[in-house]
Amino acid sequence: MMDRTRELSIYIHIPFCVQKCLYCDFLSAPASDQVRERYAERLVQEIREESRCYGNYRVKSVFLGGGTPSLLTPWQITQIMDSVREHYLLEKECEISIEANPGTVSADKVTAWKDAGINRVSIGLQSFVDEELRLLGRIHDREDFYRTYDLIIKSGFSNINIDLMTAIPGQSKKSCLATLQAVAALEVKPVHVSAYSLIIEEGTAFYRERPVLPDEETERELYKITCDFLEREGYQRYEISNYAMPGFACRHNQVYWKRGNYAGFGIGAASMVENVRFSNGRDLASYLECGPVKEQIQKLSVEEQMEEFMFLGLRMAEGVSFGEFYHMFGEEIEKVYPGIVEGYVEKGLLQYLCGADGRRERIALTKSGIDVSNVVMADFLLTS
């Protein structure tokens, strides 16, 4: 029988943390045990009630993000995942991820994650240099990371991501390399690394304090050091800021970049289903009292879909497909964006990727193009 179900990914937002990092603009804050318990109960209810909208979808990935999901108790995580499994059709090889911060992980938690079917852990390390961690306002040091990583490895997890950050206040090329070397020296290396540059966002403590950051030239050098080092270690860069060993690219994140369907649960969680974007309200008290309220509902126009196809797709090393664009929109990329692709190819910022027969099948950013990706992608906006 033909499978008529459609693919869906699920994002579950846990808006709690021990303390707010100085650079963080995510929807997260400290909360009491009682508030976290009420929130977990409300999440279970929302997941159950919203399932009626997704009866003909099969779930390819689940992602518990935050905030700090590893703050929740083993029982709370178990309840949440039991609700997902009971009310949604999960693929046999469904990728189920949880974000964890060093200093919030225990053996009983990790065992509960494993028992709940979680098969991927993303650890917020950021740096192996304690002074850099202190300047970021992190609650852990490098020894906390080692203890957390050891717990996760010994519990049998093999699909592990580590978050790293560059352009940290006071960071030098030497300290950046020291962090990378420490990652490579782990007895069991992570199969995935996310490496981001620090961006100062409005509303954060860093935005008010204006710390001294590495200059633009140093930031580019730190980025290049990171990229070159990880590629020498066997990681493949499959997206501007993400590197993976073969076969371990994050399925959940690829859903965002490829504009797949995803449903978000919890305060502030965003969804995009069949080209309709919406999000839950951000007020915690209202959510606990009344449940989620859908906000910012937007049916994307064809032009907006084209924009997203291009500027999200170009984040990936594989770029975007001429054939997929035509299949989705009935038009050719070159006709929708006359002269733009050719112009950037001539400048060495975009490249054609060809099939076995030599035909041009895709376009992708070059290494030089990645350095100025925001400028390139801005030219693929149609509605601005």
Side-chain angles (χ1 to χ4, degrees):
M1 180 181 292
M2 183 181 296
D3 183 2
R4 297 187 181 277
T5 58
R6 289 170 285 182
E7 289 185 343
L8 178 75
S9 287
I10 290 176
Y11 174 76
I12 300 171
H13 187 64
I14 310 299
F16 308 120
C17 55
V18 175
Q19 68 180 29
K20 197 82 168 171
C21 295
L22 301 179
Y23 59 87
C24 180
D25 71 330
F26 297 141
L27 181 56
S28 62
S32 67
D33 292 345
Q34 292 79 8
V35 168
R36 294 202 293 265
E37 177 62 25
R38 288 175 60 200
Y39 186 83
E41 292 171 354
R42 178 60 78 178
L43 260 179
V44 168
Q45 182 179 350
E46 180 190 3
I47 289 166
R48 180 182 69 247
E49 292 177 351
E50 288 296 312
S51 66
R52 65 182 183 272
C53 301
Y54 303 107
N56 61 338
Y57 288 83
R58 51 190 166 82
V59 177
K60 65 181 296 182
S61 67
V62 179
F63 196 101
L64 288 86
T68 306
S70 52
L71 271 180
L72 295 189
T73 67
W75 175 239
Q76 288 162 352
I77 292 293
T78 298
Q79 285 182 304
I80 291 167
M81 285 308 306
D82 281 352
S83 183
V84 171
R85 290 187 177 280
E86 180 180 354
H87 298 289
Y88 296 80
L89 175 64
L90 271 61
E91 293 183 350
K92 184 178 179 181
E93 302 299 323
C94 183
E95 176 191 86
I96 306 176
S97 304
I98 187 169
E99 290 183 334
N101 278 343
T104 66
V105 177
S106 62
D108 59 337
K109 287 182 179 181
V110 178
T111 299
W113 300 347
K114 195 80 174 174
D115 291 344
I118 292 170
N119 51 33
R120 184 177 184 272
V121 182
S122 179
I123 307 173
L125 169 61
Q126 315 311 342
S127 172
F128 265 108
V129 179
D130 284 346
E131 178 61 13
E132 292 177 358
L133 292 171
R134 186 189 68 79
L135 289 170
L136 290 171
R138 303 291 291 175
I139 65 167
H140 70 274
D141 59 22
R142 62 184 291 156
E143 291 305 318
D144 291 325
F145 169 80
Y146 283 127
R147 284 190 289 270
T148 295
Y149 196 75
D150 188 56
L151 278 174
I152 292 169
I153 290 293
K154 286 181 176 178
S155 294
F157 285 96
S158 57
N159 194 348
I160 300 173
N161 169 67
I162 289 180
D163 286 341
L164 299 179
M165 185 176 286
T166 57
I168 297 169
Q171 189 176 44
S172 64
K173 289 181 279 187
K174 181 179 179 181
S175 67
C176 176
L177 189 58
T179 285
L180 294 166
Q181 289 170 336
V183 171
L186 290 168
E187 186 175 348
V188 179
K189 288 200 300 186
V191 296
H192 191 287
V193 176
S194 298
Y196 300 92
S197 291
L198 172 64
I199 298 175
I200 305 297
E201 301 286 2
E202 190 172 351
T204 64
F206 271 174
Y207 186 82
R208 296 187 296 273
E209 297 169 6
R210 296 295 181 179
V212 178
L213 303 178
D215 59 41
E216 190 173 327
E217 181 179 348
T218 301
E219 181 179 352
R220 282 197 297 269
E221 290 176 343
L222 296 175
Y223 181 87
K224 186 175 188 304
I225 288 170
T226 300
C227 178
D228 292 346
F229 186 95
L230 291 173
E231 290 183 347
R232 286 196 302 271
E233 288 295 316
Y235 295 92
Q236 299 172 352
R237 181 165 63 180
Y238 69 97
E239 190 270 343
I240 288 176
S241 301
N242 285 275
Y243 305 77
M245 294 295 183
F248 287 96
C250 179
R251 296 184 202 169
H252 189 83
N253 286 342
Q254 289 181 91
V255 170
Y256 296 135
W257 301 319
K258 295 183 178 182
R259 301 190 66 256
N261 296 311
Y262 55 91
F265 304 125
I267 62 169
S271 303
M272 204 275 280
V273 181
E274 309 304 339
N275 289 310
V276 177
R277 290 193 177 278
F278 53 94
S279 61
N280 283 349
R282 298 170 63 88
D283 184 73
L284 177 59
S286 175
Y287 181 81
L288 295 178
E289 183 68 25
C290 306
V293 176
K294 299 290 189 292
E295 297 181 345
Q296 301 175 332
I297 300 172
Q298 177 192 12
K299 172 67 175 177
L300 297 177
S301 67
V302 173
E303 289 79 11
E304 288 167 332
Q305 293 174 45
M306 288 178 175
E307 288 179 346
E308 290 189 357
F309 183 95
M310 297 303 296
F311 68 71
L312 292 175
L314 285 173
R315 291 189 61 87
M316 297 184 295
E318 68 180 35
V320 297
S321 162
F322 291 110
E324 288 177 14
F325 188 94
Y326 186 82
H327 177 74
M328 292 182 68
F329 305 115
E331 297 191 63
E332 296 177 354
I333 290 177
E334 295 96 328
K335 290 186 178 179
V336 177
Y337 298 100
I340 293 177
V341 173
E342 297 90 334
Y344 280 122
V345 169
E346 290 177 5
K347 293 176 182 177
L349 303 179
L350 284 177
Q351 59 185 325
Y352 293 112
L353 303 180
C354 300
D357 59 0
R359 286 187 183 181
R360 295 172 178 174
E361 293 186 348
R362 314 181 72 89
I363 50 171
L365 290 168
T366 62
K367 285 191 173 182
S368 298
I370 289 173
D371 291 339
V372 291
S373 58
N374 289 339
V375 174
V376 176
M377 292 174 185
D379 268 346
F380 289 95
L381 298 177
L382 296 167
T383 60
S384 57

